[in-house]
Amino acid sequence: MLTTGDLMFKKHVYKKLNLKKGKTLEDLIQACQKSFDFVSYQATEKAPFHLHYIKSLVDEKQIDSHISSYTKNPELPTLIDLEQSIPIEGTKIIQKIEEIEQSLLSGHVIIQVTKHDNEVLAVPVQQKEQRSVDIPENEFTVIGPKEAFIESLDVNLNLIRKRLPVPELVIKEFIVGSISKSRVAVLHMDGITNTQLVQTLTERINEVDYDEIVDSSQITQLISDNPNSYFPQLLETERPERVASALVEGKVVFTMEGSPQAMIGPTNLLEFFSSPDDHYMMWPLSMFFRIIRLLAVLFSVLATSVYIAVTTYHHEVIPDVLLNTMVASRLEVPYPPIIEVILLELTVELLREAGARLPSRIGQTIGIVGGIVIGTAVVEASLASSVLLILIGLTALSSFTTPIYQMGNTIRILRFPFIIFAQWFGFFGMAICLAIHLLHLIKLTSLGYPYLSPLYPFRVRDFRDEILKLPIQKLENRPEVLRSQKKKRFISKYRKHPPKDIEE
Amino acid sequence: MHPEAKVTKQVSPFFAFFIVTVMQVGVGIFTLPRTMIVDAGHDGWIAIVFSAVLVSIIIRIIYAMLNKGDTIITIQNKVFGKTLGSFISLFWVFYYSLFVLITLVAYVEILNVWIFPEVSLWVLYLICMLLAYNYTTSGFRAIIGGSLLAVLFVLPFLFFSHLPQGQLHFGSLFPIFDHSLHEMWLSTKTMTFQFLGFEILLMAYPFIKQAPRSHKWAQIGLVFSMIIYLIAFILPVIYFHERHLLTIIWPTLTLWKMEYIGMSIWLLVLLPNMAFGLWSASRVVKQTFNLSQRHSLRGVTLVIFGCALLFTTRIEIQSLSAFTNRLGFYTIFIYIPILFLLQALIIKRRRL
């Protein structure tokens, strides 16, 4: 039973809706005519058709060659005739004003019979401005494929699809952003990916409520599990083959129209230190390089804070042989180690930031000026010790070994809390800082999956590809932690060797 | 009475290993060689093995008991009735808190003596308690994660010891068994203190998936910590002279090559250790008095912090650890077996 109040309220709502629905094609055309690039004309005086389109969105060559000749033809009086004769795929006759608006604004030509008719024919003649597929810049590898995503969703999907030509690769499309109306595609492998995982991602993307979204990293910020963390919780990549192998592993991927990267989830901390290179090299080499990379990260984060801790609190730790060098280099430095370190660290950050903003040629010059000229000058003016300068140089160098750019940034930031804690309580302070970060990492999840796996939860079998890198014949299982529908990737067959003479 | 721990909050049976290891290899390892040598001399390692055997039996008893009940609280309530059971539960709050307290005080003392003689103790207490509190509020699984990382990455630091070639006298270990049985028994009693901590299982049991299967892992954890203790005991004994060793308060640190880094990073072992204690103490309060665990945790943390401020001198700390030692010994070897027998009796009578 509805009370009168409810009825009144409903009436009010209906009125409002009707007002919104009351918008007609004429209103739309009027609204569009405020812009100079809106074109609206009658085909000829004899033919009945009116054409409307937005010049900047359509390919006018196609209109000239494929549409005009038919609209000017008086033998085709109705829209249906026209639809059948125009040699362009994807034409449709529509009536709903919202649909008309959407097709007009996405590069269709709207063809009307008379000026007051509500039924129109929409012909897609979008103009696609895009750069060609290029070499990956942020995730460059020496060997392996050298294609990178570009700003067009369709091209990106093509790059992925052609690597996985199976019907199981499912792509769903979403529209995100109330003003920007960005197209987002969510990819997964049917029959492999855990269905719950797909559901989590689609739900989160559906929940995104933001007006203007220009890059997929904005969506990442909106959907990540802990928005206050400075550890990236989804892996950003610009390499289609990395996406393809993630999909086959049982992960989900999303990518957006207009942004040249795809996001892979769930991810874990160690995945950020594995490069696609690792899979293209012989396994002993790639295992070695991966371990080098992990050590480089540890060094990059801890080296300067260890320097502070040792020079401020724990002089006993310095070996006797090294003591002379250390004392000699710090002898004339007028301030405590902490100021020395922060000064130099900030200089390096400055150089990096300047290098990133400048065009690449000038960027190189800045690198040389900063690295060599300023560095030597600072030591000669004894404003910093040469030992520290070496350390800072090495930490900067080793932070560049991280294959994923986002994680490189995280490591840049991560140094500073350790430096501050080291000044406060020496090694004990660093242990405090480590404890805080470890607790944070233990609690952190990526799309609901633990961020610290395979360390915690402890999955020894997942070590094969995540920490170590065993021969490709041994990587027969998908990561356990993903709980994918198919656990096995393939059945490994061991080749039989002909028996040696000693066994005969 | 209490809802079972949810599956999402549980851990696999394998993690019982980390619970036991982290709880046992606490701060005691630094003083271990000296305390062991007082009574049994160079035969201390026999006492270590013997005490491990005794503890292994107790772990067996605990598992037999818990397999029939859920936690120590439910068992006590069944055996003693609700009122008396709740009253005895208070003892467990005290017991768990005491272990957190002794760990905290002993660790901060080391820091104070070795690295920061000028820092006021309360600052260090505050830092440790805040961190432990944070670990505890993150939940049981997070504490387990912390202990796993500690065992994997921090315990290996122990092996960076001085091993001066040619200065190790393996002869110091012989003749084997030249101390009286009484001395051995005294040493075994001292040693049990080092193995204490596995009582966390009495509260953590419902949080382990297929808990009966975790018994094996608890025993393996015990063996693992026994091996660590044996190494930590034998190395100083063959390096120092027995009488010299008696004068060193923290022989493990003296022998350690990475003493400064090592004792700092040991914080990562002690945090899960203290967090387990805090977690169990507050859990007892929650189960007995239906208070929210967060509130009781705050209370327990504050009380422990306050008590820690009272212990400043070496003698006070020593008497505290002696008291804890005795209390732990009697609880484990007298109270637990008695409770086990009573529980068995009651179950039998109900069947008849």
Side-chain angles (χ1 to χ4, degrees), chain A residues 314 316-317 424-425 427-428 431-432 434-436 438-439 442-443 452 455-456 458, chain B residues 14 107 111 115-116 127 131 135 138 141-142 145-146 148 152 260-261 264 268 271:
Chain A
H314 316 287
E316 305 91 332
V317 175
W424 189 30
F425 268 131
F427 282 147
F428 181 62
I432 298 171
L434 195 62
I436 295 170
L438 283 183
L439 182 63
I442 288 168
K443 285 196 286 182
L452 218 52
L455 282 179
Y456 181 73
F458 196 62
Chain B
F14 160 66
Y107 181 56
L111 282 184
I115 317 184
F116 307 113
I127 292 169
L131 284 174
Y135 265 72
S138 309
R141 286 178 65 116
L148 178 133
L152 281 187
Y260 291 101
I261 299 176
S264 306
L268 293 183
L271 279 180

mmCIF file of all heavy atoms in Angstrom, chain A residues 314 316-317 424-425 427-428 431-432 434-436 438-439 442-443 452 455-456 458, chain B residues 14 107 111 115-116 127 131 135 138 141-142 145-146 148 152 260-261 264 268 271:
data_model
loop_
_atom_site.group_PDB
_atom_site.id
_atom_site.type_symbol
_atom_site.label_atom_id
_atom_site.label_comp_id
_atom_site.label_asym_id
_atom_site.label_seq_id
_atom_site.Cartn_x
_atom_site.Cartn_y
_atom_site.Cartn_z
ATOM 1 N N HIS A 314 77.944 3.675 16.124
ATOM 2 C CA HIS A 314 78.665 2.412 16.274
ATOM 3 C C HIS A 314 80.030 2.476 15.616
ATOM 4 O O HIS A 314 80.284 1.790 14.630
ATOM 5 C CB HIS A 314 77.849 1.271 15.663
ATOM 6 C CG HIS A 314 76.398 1.318 16.009
ATOM 7 N ND1 HIS A 314 75.932 0.996 17.256
ATOM 8 C CD2 HIS A 314 75.322 1.666 15.279
ATOM 9 C CE1 HIS A 314 74.609 1.132 17.272
ATOM 10 N NE2 HIS A 314 74.229 1.548 16.083
ATOM 11 N N GLU A 316 82.608 1.237 16.578
ATOM 12 C CA GLU A 316 83.346 -0.017 16.781
ATOM 13 C C GLU A 316 83.189 -0.957 15.595
ATOM 14 O O GLU A 316 83.996 -1.862 15.402
ATOM 15 C CB GLU A 316 82.827 -0.739 18.037
ATOM 16 C CG GLU A 316 82.853 0.088 19.307
ATOM 17 C CD GLU A 316 81.557 0.852 19.530
ATOM 18 O OE1 GLU A 316 80.881 1.188 18.535
ATOM 19 O OE2 GLU A 316 81.220 1.130 20.687
ATOM 20 N N VAL A 317 82.124 -0.751 14.815
ATOM 21 C CA VAL A 317 81.841 -1.690 13.734
ATOM 22 C C VAL A 317 82.819 -1.528 12.572
ATOM 23 O O VAL A 317 83.092 -2.468 11.847
ATOM 24 C CB VAL A 317 80.381 -1.493 13.264
ATOM 25 C CG1 VAL A 317 80.054 -2.353 12.073
ATOM 26 C CG2 VAL A 317 79.442 -1.813 14.402
ATOM 27 N N TRP A 424 68.192 8.628 14.712
ATOM 28 C CA TRP A 424 67.562 8.653 16.032
ATOM 29 C C TRP A 424 68.161 7.599 16.957
ATOM 30 O O TRP A 424 68.545 7.891 18.091
ATOM 31 C CB TRP A 424 66.049 8.426 15.860
ATOM 32 C CG TRP A 424 65.254 8.641 17.085
ATOM 33 C CD1 TRP A 424 65.532 9.500 18.102
ATOM 34 C CD2 TRP A 424 64.038 7.981 17.425
ATOM 35 N NE1 TRP A 424 64.564 9.423 19.060
ATOM 36 C CE2 TRP A 424 63.628 8.500 18.673
ATOM 37 C CE3 TRP A 424 63.244 7.023 16.802
ATOM 38 C CZ2 TRP A 424 62.467 8.084 19.295
ATOM 39 C CZ3 TRP A 424 62.090 6.616 17.423
ATOM 40 C CH2 TRP A 424 61.709 7.146 18.666
ATOM 41 N N PHE A 425 68.259 6.347 16.473
ATOM 42 C CA PHE A 425 68.689 5.270 17.359
ATOM 43 C C PHE A 425 69.691 4.306 16.715
ATOM 44 O O PHE A 425 69.781 3.164 17.115
ATOM 45 C CB PHE A 425 67.475 4.450 17.821
ATOM 46 C CG PHE A 425 66.902 4.940 19.114
ATOM 47 C CD1 PHE A 425 65.548 5.175 19.247
ATOM 48 C CD2 PHE A 425 67.728 5.178 20.203
ATOM 49 C CE1 PHE A 425 65.017 5.631 20.433
ATOM 50 C CE2 PHE A 425 67.207 5.634 21.383
ATOM 51 C CZ PHE A 425 65.858 5.870 21.501
ATOM 52 N N PHE A 427 71.522 1.493 14.702
ATOM 53 C CA PHE A 427 71.031 0.218 14.169
ATOM 54 C C PHE A 427 69.679 -0.145 14.758
ATOM 55 O O PHE A 427 68.819 -0.688 14.083
ATOM 56 C CB PHE A 427 72.022 -0.906 14.476
ATOM 57 C CG PHE A 427 73.213 -0.912 13.569
ATOM 58 C CD1 PHE A 427 74.451 -1.319 14.025
ATOM 59 C CD2 PHE A 427 73.097 -0.520 12.252
ATOM 60 C CE1 PHE A 427 75.550 -1.337 13.186
ATOM 61 C CE2 PHE A 427 74.189 -0.526 11.406
ATOM 62 C CZ PHE A 427 75.413 -0.934 11.877
ATOM 63 N N PHE A 428 69.500 0.159 16.040
ATOM 64 C CA PHE A 428 68.221 -0.155 16.682
ATOM 65 C C PHE A 428 67.095 0.628 16.011
ATOM 66 O O PHE A 428 66.013 0.086 15.755
ATOM 67 C CB PHE A 428 68.295 0.172 18.172
ATOM 68 C CG PHE A 428 67.036 -0.133 18.922
ATOM 69 C CD1 PHE A 428 66.559 -1.422 18.992
ATOM 70 C CD2 PHE A 428 66.336 0.881 19.559
ATOM 71 C CE1 PHE A 428 65.399 -1.705 19.676
ATOM 72 C CE2 PHE A 428 65.170 0.607 20.240
ATOM 73 C CZ PHE A 428 64.697 -0.686 20.297
ATOM 74 N N ALA A 431 66.197 -1.041 12.931
ATOM 75 C CA ALA A 431 65.378 -2.226 13.217
ATOM 76 C C ALA A 431 63.933 -1.817 13.474
ATOM 77 O O ALA A 431 63.000 -2.492 13.029
ATOM 78 C CB ALA A 431 65.941 -2.992 14.407
ATOM 79 N N ILE A 432 63.734 -0.691 14.177
ATOM 80 C CA ILE A 432 62.369 -0.205 14.413
ATOM 81 C C ILE A 432 61.686 0.080 13.082
ATOM 82 O O ILE A 432 60.559 -0.351 12.818
ATOM 83 C CB ILE A 432 62.381 1.076 15.261
ATOM 84 C CG1 ILE A 432 62.988 0.821 16.632
ATOM 85 C CG2 ILE A 432 60.988 1.647 15.405
ATOM 86 C CD1 ILE A 432 63.227 2.100 17.406
ATOM 87 N N LEU A 434 62.427 -1.045 10.159
ATOM 88 C CA LEU A 434 62.213 -2.306 9.449
ATOM 89 C C LEU A 434 60.970 -3.015 9.984
ATOM 90 O O LEU A 434 60.151 -3.519 9.215
ATOM 91 C CB LEU A 434 63.446 -3.192 9.622
ATOM 92 C CG LEU A 434 63.584 -4.373 8.689
ATOM 93 C CD1 LEU A 434 63.683 -3.876 7.270
ATOM 94 C CD2 LEU A 434 64.818 -5.177 9.041
ATOM 95 N N ALA A 435 60.836 -3.028 11.321
ATOM 96 C CA ALA A 435 59.682 -3.703 11.922
ATOM 97 C C ALA A 435 58.385 -3.050 11.462
ATOM 98 O O ALA A 435 57.422 -3.739 11.111
ATOM 99 C CB ALA A 435 59.789 -3.666 13.444
ATOM 100 N N ILE A 436 58.364 -1.722 11.430
ATOM 101 C CA ILE A 436 57.146 -1.021 11.004
ATOM 102 C C ILE A 436 56.817 -1.380 9.560
ATOM 103 O O ILE A 436 55.674 -1.706 9.220
ATOM 104 C CB ILE A 436 57.326 0.503 11.146
ATOM 105 C CG1 ILE A 436 57.493 0.879 12.612
ATOM 106 C CG2 ILE A 436 56.151 1.237 10.538
ATOM 107 C CD1 ILE A 436 57.905 2.307 12.826
ATOM 108 N N LEU A 438 57.831 -4.011 7.806
ATOM 109 C CA LEU A 438 57.471 -5.419 7.637
ATOM 110 C C LEU A 438 56.024 -5.648 8.046
ATOM 111 O O LEU A 438 55.277 -6.338 7.354
ATOM 112 C CB LEU A 438 58.394 -6.318 8.461
ATOM 113 C CG LEU A 438 59.776 -6.549 7.869
ATOM 114 C CD1 LEU A 438 60.560 -7.495 8.737
ATOM 115 C CD2 LEU A 438 59.662 -7.116 6.465
ATOM 116 N N LEU A 439 55.625 -5.044 9.144
ATOM 117 C CA LEU A 439 54.244 -5.210 9.593
ATOM 118 C C LEU A 439 53.288 -4.678 8.531
ATOM 119 O O LEU A 439 52.279 -5.306 8.211
ATOM 120 C CB LEU A 439 54.025 -4.483 10.921
ATOM 121 C CG LEU A 439 52.634 -4.641 11.498
ATOM 122 C CD1 LEU A 439 52.363 -6.093 11.809
ATOM 123 C CD2 LEU A 439 52.467 -3.813 12.743
ATOM 124 N N ILE A 442 53.174 -7.119 5.697
ATOM 125 C CA ILE A 442 52.441 -8.342 6.039
ATOM 126 C C ILE A 442 50.944 -8.091 5.915
ATOM 127 O O ILE A 442 50.190 -8.928 5.438
ATOM 128 C CB ILE A 442 52.788 -8.791 7.468
ATOM 129 C CG1 ILE A 442 54.203 -9.340 7.517
ATOM 130 C CG2 ILE A 442 51.821 -9.852 7.965
ATOM 131 C CD1 ILE A 442 54.724 -9.543 8.898
ATOM 132 N N LYS A 443 50.525 -6.901 6.313
ATOM 133 C CA LYS A 443 49.083 -6.617 6.297
ATOM 134 C C LYS A 443 48.589 -6.261 4.906
ATOM 135 O O LYS A 443 47.404 -6.370 4.622
ATOM 136 C CB LYS A 443 48.780 -5.453 7.249
ATOM 137 C CG LYS A 443 48.828 -5.849 8.693
ATOM 138 C CD LYS A 443 48.149 -4.812 9.567
ATOM 139 C CE LYS A 443 48.983 -3.575 9.724
ATOM 140 N NZ LYS A 443 48.371 -2.584 10.592
ATOM 141 N N LEU A 452 52.936 -10.180 0.370
ATOM 142 C CA LEU A 452 54.270 -10.686 0.686
ATOM 143 C C LEU A 452 54.447 -12.134 0.244
ATOM 144 O O LEU A 452 55.457 -12.760 0.544
ATOM 145 C CB LEU A 452 54.534 -10.553 2.183
ATOM 146 C CG LEU A 452 55.943 -10.149 2.561
ATOM 147 C CD1 LEU A 452 56.357 -8.917 1.806
ATOM 148 C CD2 LEU A 452 56.021 -9.876 4.032
ATOM 149 N N LEU A 455 56.529 -15.455 0.453
ATOM 150 C CA LEU A 455 57.171 -15.547 1.767
ATOM 151 C C LEU A 455 56.134 -15.780 2.848
ATOM 152 O O LEU A 455 56.271 -16.653 3.690
ATOM 153 C CB LEU A 455 57.930 -14.254 2.062
ATOM 154 C CG LEU A 455 59.263 -14.119 1.351
ATOM 155 C CD1 LEU A 455 59.889 -12.795 1.705
ATOM 156 C CD2 LEU A 455 60.178 -15.244 1.783
ATOM 157 N N TYR A 456 55.110 -14.958 2.846
ATOM 158 C CA TYR A 456 54.031 -15.155 3.801
ATOM 159 C C TYR A 456 52.721 -14.830 3.140
ATOM 160 O O TYR A 456 52.539 -13.695 2.734
ATOM 161 C CB TYR A 456 54.212 -14.278 5.033
ATOM 162 C CG TYR A 456 53.099 -14.518 6.032
ATOM 163 C CD1 TYR A 456 53.081 -15.696 6.753
ATOM 164 C CD2 TYR A 456 52.071 -13.601 6.198
ATOM 165 C CE1 TYR A 456 52.055 -15.945 7.629
ATOM 166 C CE2 TYR A 456 51.050 -13.850 7.077
ATOM 167 C CZ TYR A 456 51.051 -15.027 7.791
ATOM 168 O OH TYR A 456 50.035 -15.285 8.657
ATOM 169 N N PHE A 458 53.579 -18.800 3.374
ATOM 170 C CA PHE A 458 54.785 -19.458 2.930
ATOM 171 C C PHE A 458 54.464 -20.544 1.914
ATOM 172 O O PHE A 458 53.820 -21.527 2.241
ATOM 173 C CB PHE A 458 55.440 -20.061 4.178
ATOM 174 C CG PHE A 458 56.871 -20.442 3.978
ATOM 175 C CD1 PHE A 458 57.804 -19.481 3.666
ATOM 176 C CD2 PHE A 458 57.289 -21.741 4.145
ATOM 177 C CE1 PHE A 458 59.132 -19.809 3.507
ATOM 178 C CE2 PHE A 458 58.609 -22.075 3.990
ATOM 179 C CZ PHE A 458 59.529 -21.121 3.666
ATOM 180 N N PHE B 14 51.340 -26.019 9.863
ATOM 181 C CA PHE B 14 52.758 -25.838 9.700
ATOM 182 C C PHE B 14 53.304 -24.666 10.527
ATOM 183 O O PHE B 14 54.444 -24.674 10.985
ATOM 184 C CB PHE B 14 52.950 -25.645 8.189
ATOM 185 C CG PHE B 14 54.195 -25.001 7.752
ATOM 186 C CD1 PHE B 14 55.407 -25.633 7.950
ATOM 187 C CD2 PHE B 14 54.160 -23.772 7.117
ATOM 188 C CE1 PHE B 14 56.568 -25.045 7.505
ATOM 189 C CE2 PHE B 14 55.325 -23.187 6.674
ATOM 190 C CZ PHE B 14 56.528 -23.834 6.875
ATOM 191 N N TYR B 107 65.602 -7.308 27.333
ATOM 192 C CA TYR B 107 66.099 -6.792 26.062
ATOM 193 C C TYR B 107 66.553 -5.348 26.200
ATOM 194 O O TYR B 107 67.632 -4.966 25.745
ATOM 195 C CB TYR B 107 65.016 -6.925 24.993
ATOM 196 C CG TYR B 107 65.448 -6.440 23.628
ATOM 197 C CD1 TYR B 107 66.583 -6.962 23.022
ATOM 198 C CD2 TYR B 107 64.741 -5.453 22.945
ATOM 199 C CE1 TYR B 107 66.992 -6.526 21.784
ATOM 200 C CE2 TYR B 107 65.148 -5.019 21.710
ATOM 201 C CZ TYR B 107 66.273 -5.557 21.131
ATOM 202 O OH TYR B 107 66.684 -5.131 19.899
ATOM 203 N N LEU B 111 70.205 -3.415 25.454
ATOM 204 C CA LEU B 111 70.348 -2.215 24.627
ATOM 205 C C LEU B 111 71.007 -1.105 25.422
ATOM 206 O O LEU B 111 71.896 -0.401 24.947
ATOM 207 C CB LEU B 111 68.974 -1.739 24.158
ATOM 208 C CG LEU B 111 68.322 -2.473 23.003
ATOM 209 C CD1 LEU B 111 67.028 -1.776 22.647
ATOM 210 C CD2 LEU B 111 69.238 -2.497 21.800
ATOM 211 N N ILE B 115 74.528 -0.308 23.825
ATOM 212 C CA ILE B 115 74.496 0.762 22.817
ATOM 213 C C ILE B 115 74.143 2.129 23.396
ATOM 214 O O ILE B 115 74.788 3.116 23.097
ATOM 215 C CB ILE B 115 73.509 0.444 21.673
ATOM 216 C CG1 ILE B 115 73.626 -1.013 21.228
ATOM 217 C CG2 ILE B 115 73.799 1.341 20.494
ATOM 218 C CD1 ILE B 115 72.768 -1.363 20.058
ATOM 219 N N PHE B 116 73.087 2.189 24.213
ATOM 220 C CA PHE B 116 72.594 3.510 24.617
ATOM 221 C C PHE B 116 72.652 3.707 26.121
ATOM 222 O O PHE B 116 71.611 3.695 26.783
ATOM 223 C CB PHE B 116 71.141 3.703 24.150
ATOM 224 C CG PHE B 116 70.942 3.448 22.688
ATOM 225 C CD1 PHE B 116 70.193 2.378 22.249
ATOM 226 C CD2 PHE B 116 71.501 4.302 21.750
ATOM 227 C CE1 PHE B 116 70.005 2.147 20.905
ATOM 228 C CE2 PHE B 116 71.316 4.061 20.399
ATOM 229 C CZ PHE B 116 70.573 2.993 19.980
ATOM 230 N N ILE B 127 58.954 2.506 23.048
ATOM 231 C CA ILE B 127 59.067 2.117 21.637
ATOM 232 C C ILE B 127 58.711 0.645 21.467
ATOM 233 O O ILE B 127 57.882 0.278 20.619
ATOM 234 C CB ILE B 127 60.495 2.371 21.121
ATOM 235 C CG1 ILE B 127 60.769 3.870 21.064
ATOM 236 C CG2 ILE B 127 60.699 1.766 19.753
ATOM 237 C CD1 ILE B 127 62.207 4.208 20.822
ATOM 238 N N LEU B 131 55.392 -0.857 19.446
ATOM 239 C CA LEU B 131 55.519 -1.756 18.299
ATOM 240 C C LEU B 131 54.796 -3.072 18.568
ATOM 241 O O LEU B 131 54.059 -3.571 17.710
ATOM 242 C CB LEU B 131 56.991 -2.013 17.995
ATOM 243 C CG LEU B 131 57.731 -0.877 17.300
ATOM 244 C CD1 LEU B 131 59.202 -1.192 17.185
ATOM 245 C CD2 LEU B 131 57.158 -0.647 15.922
ATOM 246 N N TYR B 135 51.728 -4.762 16.491
ATOM 247 C CA TYR B 135 51.728 -6.122 15.952
ATOM 248 C C TYR B 135 50.475 -6.857 16.422
ATOM 249 O O TYR B 135 49.826 -7.552 15.664
ATOM 250 C CB TYR B 135 52.978 -6.878 16.413
ATOM 251 C CG TYR B 135 54.112 -6.837 15.419
ATOM 252 C CD1 TYR B 135 54.831 -5.672 15.206
ATOM 253 C CD2 TYR B 135 54.468 -7.968 14.691
ATOM 254 C CE1 TYR B 135 55.869 -5.624 14.297
ATOM 255 C CE2 TYR B 135 55.521 -7.924 13.784
ATOM 256 C CZ TYR B 135 56.209 -6.758 13.598
ATOM 257 O OH TYR B 135 57.225 -6.717 12.695
ATOM 258 N N SER B 138 47.194 -6.001 14.817
ATOM 259 C CA SER B 138 47.066 -6.421 13.426
ATOM 260 C C SER B 138 46.514 -7.834 13.311
ATOM 261 O O SER B 138 46.211 -8.270 12.209
ATOM 262 C CB SER B 138 48.411 -6.363 12.727
ATOM 263 O OG SER B 138 48.994 -5.114 12.940
ATOM 264 N N ARG B 141 47.243 -13.562 12.509
ATOM 265 C CA ARG B 141 47.953 -13.922 11.271
ATOM 266 C C ARG B 141 49.140 -13.013 11.024
ATOM 267 O O ARG B 141 50.182 -13.447 10.524
ATOM 268 C CB ARG B 141 46.991 -13.867 10.087
ATOM 269 C CG ARG B 141 46.031 -15.010 10.051
ATOM 270 C CD ARG B 141 45.091 -14.857 8.893
ATOM 271 N NE ARG B 141 45.794 -14.952 7.633
ATOM 272 C CZ ARG B 141 45.590 -15.919 6.751
ATOM 273 N NH1 ARG B 141 44.684 -16.831 6.992
ATOM 274 N NH2 ARG B 141 46.256 -15.960 5.640
ATOM 275 N N ALA B 142 48.982 -11.744 11.341
ATOM 276 C CA ALA B 142 50.094 -10.816 11.143
ATOM 277 C C ALA B 142 51.251 -11.156 12.069
ATOM 278 O O ALA B 142 52.415 -11.087 11.677
ATOM 279 C CB ALA B 142 49.627 -9.390 11.381
ATOM 280 N N GLY B 145 53.029 -13.975 10.650
ATOM 281 C CA GLY B 145 53.859 -13.510 9.539
ATOM 282 C C GLY B 145 55.159 -12.917 10.047
ATOM 283 O O GLY B 145 56.231 -13.190 9.516
ATOM 284 N N GLY B 146 55.045 -12.102 11.096
ATOM 285 C CA GLY B 146 56.245 -11.495 11.677
ATOM 286 C C GLY B 146 57.202 -12.546 12.183
ATOM 287 O O GLY B 146 58.420 -12.456 11.960
ATOM 288 N N LEU B 148 57.468 -15.614 11.174
ATOM 289 C CA LEU B 148 58.052 -16.347 10.048
ATOM 290 C C LEU B 148 59.235 -15.586 9.474
ATOM 291 O O LEU B 148 60.319 -16.138 9.275
ATOM 292 C CB LEU B 148 56.986 -16.546 8.973
ATOM 293 C CG LEU B 148 57.454 -17.262 7.718
ATOM 294 C CD1 LEU B 148 56.476 -18.336 7.346
ATOM 295 C CD2 LEU B 148 57.587 -16.321 6.562
ATOM 296 N N LEU B 152 63.157 -16.773 9.419
ATOM 297 C CA LEU B 152 63.851 -16.946 8.142
ATOM 298 C C LEU B 152 65.048 -16.023 8.007
ATOM 299 O O LEU B 152 66.091 -16.412 7.499
ATOM 300 C CB LEU B 152 62.888 -16.680 6.979
ATOM 301 C CG LEU B 152 61.925 -17.772 6.604
ATOM 302 C CD1 LEU B 152 61.193 -17.385 5.337
ATOM 303 C CD2 LEU B 152 62.662 -19.067 6.377
ATOM 304 N N TYR B 260 76.358 -5.642 17.317
ATOM 305 C CA TYR B 260 75.523 -4.424 17.294
ATOM 306 C C TYR B 260 74.340 -4.586 16.356
ATOM 307 O O TYR B 260 73.202 -4.311 16.728
ATOM 308 C CB TYR B 260 76.362 -3.217 16.895
ATOM 309 C CG TYR B 260 77.346 -2.863 17.971
ATOM 310 C CD1 TYR B 260 78.668 -3.233 17.881
ATOM 311 C CD2 TYR B 260 76.927 -2.185 19.114
ATOM 312 C CE1 TYR B 260 79.564 -2.935 18.880
ATOM 313 C CE2 TYR B 260 77.810 -1.882 20.118
ATOM 314 C CZ TYR B 260 79.126 -2.254 20.003
ATOM 315 O OH TYR B 260 80.001 -1.976 21.002
ATOM 316 N N ILE B 261 74.633 -5.012 15.123
ATOM 317 C CA ILE B 261 73.531 -5.239 14.181
ATOM 318 C C ILE B 261 72.623 -6.338 14.728
ATOM 319 O O ILE B 261 71.403 -6.213 14.733
ATOM 320 C CB ILE B 261 74.082 -5.653 12.804
ATOM 321 C CG1 ILE B 261 74.952 -4.533 12.244
ATOM 322 C CG2 ILE B 261 72.969 -5.979 11.846
ATOM 323 C CD1 ILE B 261 75.614 -4.881 10.947
ATOM 324 N N SER B 264 70.339 -5.392 17.589
ATOM 325 C CA SER B 264 69.286 -4.467 17.156
ATOM 326 C C SER B 264 68.222 -5.208 16.383
ATOM 327 O O SER B 264 67.030 -5.049 16.624
ATOM 328 C CB SER B 264 69.871 -3.381 16.264
ATOM 329 O OG SER B 264 70.929 -2.745 16.898
ATOM 330 N N LEU B 268 63.249 -7.858 15.845
ATOM 331 C CA LEU B 268 62.274 -8.492 14.960
ATOM 332 C C LEU B 268 61.871 -9.868 15.465
ATOM 333 O O LEU B 268 60.810 -10.365 15.119
ATOM 334 C CB LEU B 268 62.840 -8.603 13.543
ATOM 335 C CG LEU B 268 63.056 -7.293 12.812
ATOM 336 C CD1 LEU B 268 63.541 -7.544 11.416
ATOM 337 C CD2 LEU B 268 61.776 -6.491 12.779
ATOM 338 N N LEU B 271 59.612 -8.917 18.852
ATOM 339 C CA LEU B 271 58.293 -8.290 18.674
ATOM 340 C C LEU B 271 57.184 -9.323 18.530
ATOM 341 O O LEU B 271 56.190 -9.245 19.247
ATOM 342 C CB LEU B 271 58.314 -7.341 17.479
ATOM 343 C CG LEU B 271 58.912 -5.971 17.779
ATOM 344 C CD1 LEU B 271 58.884 -5.118 16.533
ATOM 345 C CD2 LEU B 271 58.152 -5.290 18.890
#
